[in-house]
Amino acid sequence: MSTAPIYEIDPKTFWKDPYPDLKRMRAEAPIAYVPQLGATLLTRRDDIFENEKKIEIFSSDQPQGLMTVLMGQNLMRKDGAAHMAERKAIFPSVSPKTVKSVWKAQFETETAKALEELRPLGRADMVKDIAKRVSGEALKAITGLTNMSWQEMDRVSQGMIDGCANYAGDPEVEARCHDCTGSIDRHIDGMMPLLRETPDSSMLSVQMQAGLPEEAVRANIKLTISGGQNEPRDVIAGLVWTMLTHPEQLALVRDGKATWLQAFEEYARWISPIGMSPRRVARRYEAKGVTFEPEDRVFLMFGSGNRDEAAFEDPERFDVTRDTSQSIAFGAGPHFCAGAWASRCLIAEVALPMIFENLPGLALAGEVPFGGWAFRGPLEMPVTWGTIVS
Amino acid sequence: METISVTWILLDGTRKSVAVETGGNLMQAALDNGIDGIVGQCGGSLACATCHVVVEEAPSALPEIAPDEDDMLDMAEPERLPESRLSCQLVALPELDGIVLRVP
């Protein structure tokens, strides 16, 4: 355990709204040991930005970590050359060029289909009926698991996320996680022969084309699903809520004074969908008077760094015109989110403009609770819109 | 340790020259020397394009742009120019002594 000062949290309060505690930590104990989480938290933007790159100390290789144990060792749990080799192998499926030339049209088709189906109803739950589906359909295309339904995509993603956060060892959660990884493996089994025959730009196919070991291929598909479903889902719904509750910001976008991309980047800073990334301390290290011991668990708190008063003026204010270049919403360093360009395209170029264009008069129709600190987003979001009478 | 001189033309037009140890990349050199406008979010893993520079003067031919860098440069802000590079892909080698990079 590190020598960092101890900061106690109430896990339930922290889950509901972590920002007040994080603000206090940044001010009073920017590197703090939180006993309820069994980890030392780095909460200031520059500390995270600087230390995430020190992979020889803050290692991603966590053989005993739940993600590695339950999902296999994916590239996010490797460092150095081993990580870069797999990252290079998957690049053709998520590069800006592929996103633009291959995935964007599919994102548009599926989003249009979802909105056409829902539009006559005049109401929906933005999280469950729209964001989940748009996100799931995009992920089906990118992973190559087109034989899976979007509902199953969401289920298996959530099951793995819950499994990876199951520090209490609840056997039910673990069993559900195994069921989810089993489902993914069966869908991979189903797609592999087809993609061997007809290779494409999907994550599954490009890894097979690069000759990665099957174990790594499967682990990386699971990583993509565990990380590629909930973030776009949470940002799509969260950003719609934000725009509806900040009409002056929506007006800036509608009047062409700001772009959807700016709105997306600012939302990802303001309510980071991934609030935390864990690391294992590989060797003894001292930083800012704190000594870290080997095997200590460290949490890089992106969600806190993105509200760091030292990096952002009035950080709790949502402002689409803000310079977000200091944001660490996609991480900082070699593990920078590989899906960044796909998510920008899906959310800023496709989902948000299409939702506001196709659901005229979109309005909130009930409470919108948010939850989470490692992953954060709205839990439900009833909305209505005007139906077109023909 | 051998060093080379690297000059950045900053956003406000001023020039900043520093001695950079050979072997490292010029994105890291910019971060180490507090060059405003070079963010280097992904630490050189070719995933962010936030270390975009425009090469104003090169003492010798630069290494060719690899396909992955080329792809990423298309997404650079502001829009790429013929002399644009990602500074994470430029290594401080002795033949680049005197290179001048503009922060776009």
Side-chain angles (χ1 to χ4, degrees), chain A residues 1-5 29-34 38-44 47-48 50-52 54 56-59 277-301:
Chain A
M1 171 181 148
S2 76
T3 59
I31 300 178
Y33 180 75
V34 179
T40 302
L41 275 55
L42 268 59
T43 54
R44 282 190 183 162
D47 287 346
I48 298 167
E50 199 183 309
N51 287 305
E52 187 173 2
K54 293 179 183 160
E56 70 287 0
I57 299 156
F58 297 107
S59 174
S277 185
R279 294 290 184 272
R280 175 183 62 88
V281 174
R283 62 172 165 79
R284 200 160 197 267
Y285 178 66
E286 220 180 288
K288 306 211 162 159
V290 174
T291 305
F292 294 89
E293 297 293 344
E295 304 309 316
D296 276 354
R297 197 157 57 153
V298 169
F299 289 170
L300 307 174
M301 304 299 286

Side-chain angles (χ1 to χ4, degrees), chain A residues 102-117 133-134 137-138 346 350 354:
Chain A
V102 180
W103 306 131
K104 188 178 176 184
Q106 297 186 40
F107 295 165
E108 285 170 340
T109 305
E110 290 302 330
T111 305
K113 209 190 284 179
L115 294 173
E116 267 163 39
E117 277 178 34
R133 177 169 170 177
V134 168
E137 290 292 354
L346 175 66
V350 177
M354 284 181 80

Side-chain angles (χ1 to χ4, degrees), chain A residues 45 49 53 83-84 87-88 91 95-98 100 261 324-338 340-341 344, chain B residues 27-28 31 36-50 66-77 80 89:
Chain A
R45 187 262 175 206
F49 190 75
K53 292 169 186 167
H83 163 251
M84 273 313 280
R87 196 166 170 113
K88 209 170 163 49
F91 187 75
S95 79
K97 200 167 282 173
T98 309
K100 200 172 166 186
L261 185 60
T324 54
S325 59
Q326 298 295 306
S327 167
I328 47 174
F330 287 116
H335 290 282
F336 185 90
C337 176
W341 299 100
R344 286 179 175 125
Chain B
M27 177 269 295
Q28 194 55 49
L31 295 185
D36 262 0
I38 303 294
V39 179
Q41 263 175 343
C42 78
S45 52
L46 272 178
C48 72
T50 60
D68 291 358
E69 182 186 351
D70 188 52
D71 195 358
M72 211 44 85
L73 271 169
D74 284 342
M75 310 310 290
E77 293 282 347
R80 75 186 283 184
Q89 300 303 301

Side-chain angles (χ1 to χ4, degrees), chain A residues 8-21 36-37 370-373 376 379:
Chain A
E8 306 261 358
I9 59 161
D10 169 36
K12 276 188 186 157
T13 311
F14 197 64
W15 188 87
K16 215 172 163 190
D17 181 7
Y19 294 117
D21 276 313
Q36 291 78 11
L37 304 176
F370 275 64
W373 55 271
R376 185 164 181 83
L379 307 173

Side-chain angles (χ1 to χ4, degrees), chain A residues 3 31 34-35 52 123 135 181 193 197 248 289 303 314 377:
Chain A
T3 59
I31 300 178
V34 179
E52 187 173 2
R123 60 170 52 244
S135 184
T181 55
E197 199 94 333
E248 77 294 347
D314 197 3

Side-chain angles (χ1 to χ4, degrees), chain A residues 191-214:
Chain A
M191 289 309 296
M192 271 182 160
L194 302 174
L195 291 170
R196 216 166 273 133
E197 199 94 333
T198 319
D200 63 18
S201 301
S202 70
M203 184 80 75
L204 183 53
S205 183
V206 300
Q207 290 186 95
M208 290 164 65
Q209 291 168 56
L212 288 191
E214 193 171 315

